[in-house]
Amino acid sequence: MPATPAPEPPPMRERYRAHVRHEVKQAALRQLAESGPAAVSVSAIGKQLGVSGPALYRYFTSRDELLTELAIDAYHDLADVLSAAADRAPDLDARARLEALGRAYRSWALAQPHRYRLLFGPPLPGYDAHAQRLVEASQDSMTVLLEILRELGDPAAIPPGQPLSSQLSAWAHQHGLEADPVTALRAVLAWSRLHGFVSLEIAGNYASIGIDPDEVFEIQLATLTA
């Protein structure tokens, strides 16, 4: 059987474009880590890279487009981390998978809080943080959580009343998520707990009152998987 020919490498122009976009993103991430989303500046990045700001607009048409690309990358990265952690859980037990997901979520946020704040912090004035591309990218993480919660089940759960039940069904249907109202509500509550804890931790609130966040998180995780 003849060997499959190796795929043709992308043209030089495409490789150069991909390289420049990568360099711009890395510079923007440094700005993000140092001073937050409001500090991201295409013109300042151009100076760092030794090119004019207008030249970089051939690769990112605006600061908002650059922020959107950074957010989409972060959403995909977070989803990959959560999925990998859940898949490494002992015996792939649903409860162990949920605990692994929770720990991975927290670890990702603590390792790169600037990216976490970009996703879940207050949006910049005039920036559409709920654009369709961003919403679609955010669903990957929720899909992982919903899958685990469906496996875990909860026979004693009582379906939420109206109009919440219809709202949860509409949300799941709109985003192509397989979830009944009970599972969808559990996912929203689980994410709310994780997000609330992590947001307080990366803001230094536990440290400021002298509380060990590790122990608090383990208690929170136990209630989450109960």
Side-chain angles (χ1 to χ4, degrees), residues 162-202:
Q162 296 294 352
L164 180 57
S165 183
S166 295
Q167 293 168 352
L168 290 165
S169 295
W171 165 69
H173 177 74
Q174 180 182 358
H175 300 296
L177 302 170
E178 296 182 13
D180 57 85
V182 170
T183 306
L185 178 58
R186 292 177 69 199
V188 170
L189 292 175
W191 175 72
S192 298
R193 289 183 179 182
L194 287 172
H195 171 64
F197 181 93
V198 165
S199 297
L200 288 171
E201 184 174 13
I202 64 176

Side-chain angles (χ1 to χ4, degrees), residues 1-225:
M1 192 173 175
T4 303
E8 290 289 331
M12 178 66 75
R13 180 176 296 178
E14 290 184 21
R15 297 203 300 272
Y16 178 75
R17 178 178 178 79
H19 173 75
V20 173
R21 284 174 60 85
H22 175 75
E23 289 293 309
V24 173
K25 285 183 179 181
Q26 292 305 304
L29 285 173
R30 290 191 292 272
Q31 291 180 338
L32 191 66
E34 291 169 1
S35 306
V40 174
S41 165
V42 176
S43 296
I45 291 172
K47 292 179 180 178
Q48 292 177 25
L49 300 182
V51 296
S52 66
L56 289 187
Y57 284 112
R58 295 201 300 267
Y59 304 94
F60 294 97
T61 58
S62 65
R63 192 258 338 242
D64 285 0
E65 183 188 346
L66 176 55
L67 287 174
T68 296
E69 292 291 331
L70 294 180
I72 289 174
D73 288 348
Y75 275 128
H76 290 163
D77 186 26
L78 175 59
D80 289 345
V81 167
L82 298 182
S83 181
D87 289 344
R88 289 194 302 267
D91 302 321
L92 295 182
D93 173 74
R95 192 176 302 279
R97 296 186 73 207
L98 184 56
E99 290 178 353
L101 179 146
R103 291 192 177 94
Y105 183 93
R106 179 191 179 211
S107 295
W108 189 88
L110 292 179
Q112 37 199 350
H114 56 295
R115 296 179 82 194
Y116 186 85
R117 292 189 186 98
L118 175 65
L119 299 185
F120 303 119
L124 293 173
Y127 178 72
D128 184 5
H130 303 288
Q132 187 61 28
R133 291 182 65 206
L134 293 170
V135 172
E136 290 174 356
S138 72
Q139 297 310 309
D140 291 343
S141 295
M142 185 60 73
T143 298
V144 178
L145 176 58
L146 285 168
E147 176 189 338
I148 296 173
L149 291 174
R150 283 197 303 269
E151 293 175 13
L152 189 60
D154 187 359
I158 300 175
Q162 296 294 352
L164 180 57
S165 183
S166 295
Q167 293 168 352
L168 290 165
S169 295
W171 165 69
H173 177 74
Q174 180 182 358
H175 300 296
L177 302 170
E178 296 182 13
D180 57 85
V182 170
T183 306
L185 178 58
R186 292 177 69 199
V188 170
L189 292 175
W191 175 72
S192 298
R193 289 183 179 182
L194 287 172
H195 171 64
F197 181 93
V198 165
S199 297
L200 288 171
E201 184 174 13
I202 64 176
N205 288 284
Y206 296 116
S208 70
I209 57 177
I211 288 179
D212 180 0
D214 292 339
E215 291 193 33
V216 178
F217 182 75
E218 289 303 316
I219 295 171
Q220 177 73 291
L221 201 56
T223 62
L224 186 67
T225 58

